[in-house]
Amino acid sequence: MLLRGSHVFAEAAVRAGCRFYFGYPITPQNELTEYMANALASLPDGVFIQAESELAAINMVIGVSMAGKRAMTSSSSPGISLKQEGISFLSAMELPAVIINTMRGGPGLGNIAAAQGDYLQATRGGGHGDYRTIVLAPGSGQEMADFTRMAFEYADRYRIPVIILGDGMMSQMMEPVEFPDPIDPKSLPPKPWVLDGAKDRPSRIIKSLILDTSAMEEHNWKLFRKYEMIEKEISQVELFLTDDARLVVIAYGTASRITKGAIKRVREMGLKVGLMSPKTLWPFPKRFLLEMSRVVTDFLVFEMSTGQMLEDVKLSLEGRRRIHFYGRPGGIISTPDEIAKVINNIYFKEGLETEG
Amino acid sequence: MKKVFGKPKSLKDAVFHYCPGCGHSIIHRLVAEIIDELNIEEKVIGVPPAGCAVLAYDYFDIDIGESPHGRGAAVATGLKRALPDRIVFTYQGDGDIAAIGTAETIHAANRGENITVIFVNNGVYGMTGGQMAPTTIIGQISTTTPGGRNEKRDGAPIDLSEMLALTDGTVYIERTAVDTPKNIIRTKKAIKKAFRVQMAGLGFSLVEVLSPCPTNLKLSPVQANEWIGSTMTNYFPLKVIKDKVGKLGASPHLE
């Protein structure tokens, strides 16, 4: 199917068995909300509510998730800030949910162009308290479809909110996509912790208030152990022409697409350059990077921000290798030529053409 | 010997943490009695607020999902839409529902969400230690209105129930109190009717209950109850604010 990015997210969510969507209008992701309005209206078990606010939308997700059903909300940067209260509560109460952030320029209202300025917000929890959320970063229409399916599965498996980071460019871009077969929500395994009335079982409580400090500490460590397990199990990268690379560019989402174009150009000139594209931003695929740093001396982080993922690359490599950075914030989309020039400069400045 | 009075099944064997003279214990008991009488303990889900009543899950022996401060109506919307044949109620204080949660409440009401709201109005923020509430009356002293609530500076007490009655989606709204035995009986009747409205699928129902907070009013329990009757009801008169049930037709649940 040939679909624009926003519609890919929405169609993939419906096919993942999501029958509950709550949203509030914000550009550049209104097409996602509108698609859900249509798709869920045509399903007998579909529920779509245009919420009065982002806060209301994420709290409706909390309610549905307590009832054990798959639920999603989506927004763009300023709206995601408003949802952080609910994301913190979802994390505390260990409730599954999928939240799509179509990032735009910021801070503040910023603009409606594609940007990657919400990386730190997404990967560091984003709201108050000691928690993380899984953060997925698709780089193509196909990955938008696949990662949306995966997001619902991770959310249920780990009882955690999952954020998908897209941007204003990916949401508008049309690409051919093959969708996985639809899941009938009734076929999903029952969840043993849901609230549906205490029939033939003891009553249940889903809460986040833990006044006893020892119990709260234990809850924090329990979450931490879960996060450790997730780090081991789901870190994922895409590698592109890295086998013989002397310089590896690290970029995600739209920036990784631009980088592929740049690499094709510099490869034509004989430069040995590859791309490592993190597909999970949290957990950050540290071990893939460490492994690569055994043979690669130079890394270039390219982001559509002033340098946010850069922090994770530095933390992962702990000073072992040279890390270069190029970023354009504010909704500026670099061209492959621009990135090819940056690569070219670094490559020759560091003498990489003479190594090996 | 025939047992004529006992603990409702829907209450756990737990000692209330509420202050002496607090109205929450009475209202909890009424809600539990109603759940028993309507035989819905296996299909009811409660949504407590942030505030003194957040600990409701320690007392009610039913499924409970805690809501972030003020978002009860949105959480209940999600629960009820996901499980339309269950009975979903929120239990919210005045700060929760009429200040931080105003938007969620008004819009859930306007959508006619088929949920029941128990709105406990004691005119003060209890759990945080007696600050001005949206329903604090003019001249009432609180920790943030040391000289008394001043209409020019602080605004007048807000009548959320009357505001909600203006929305089309609300079916039944009544204001009662738990200051006297007679009013307690009326409160029970009102809350029971509110649950029945939901069971009949008619739409949004709410009972606002004026409730004493002796600790933060700095009054004895008896004085706090007297204050409700002599002063608070001047701003919040006890009455049926809206009742569309008759117009919506008879239902077996409402007999």
Side-chain angles (χ1 to χ4, degrees), chain A residues 196 201 203-204 206 208, chain B residues 61 63-64 66 71 82 86:
Chain A
D196 57 355
R201 60 162 173 81
S203 58
R204 291 179 184 144
I206 297 182
S208 68
Chain B
D61 194 7
D63 275 9
I64 294 275
E66 176 196 289
R71 320 291 173 223
R86 304 306 200 278

Side-chain angles (χ1 to χ4, degrees), chain A residues 313-335:
Chain A
V313 174
K314 285 181 177 171
L315 283 168
S316 300
L317 293 178
E318 292 177 330
R320 284 189 193 89
R321 295 297 188 191
R322 281 187 294 265
I323 300 166
H324 310 271
F325 175 71
Y326 186 74
R328 297 289 301 271
I332 300 288
I333 315 275
S334 297
T335 62

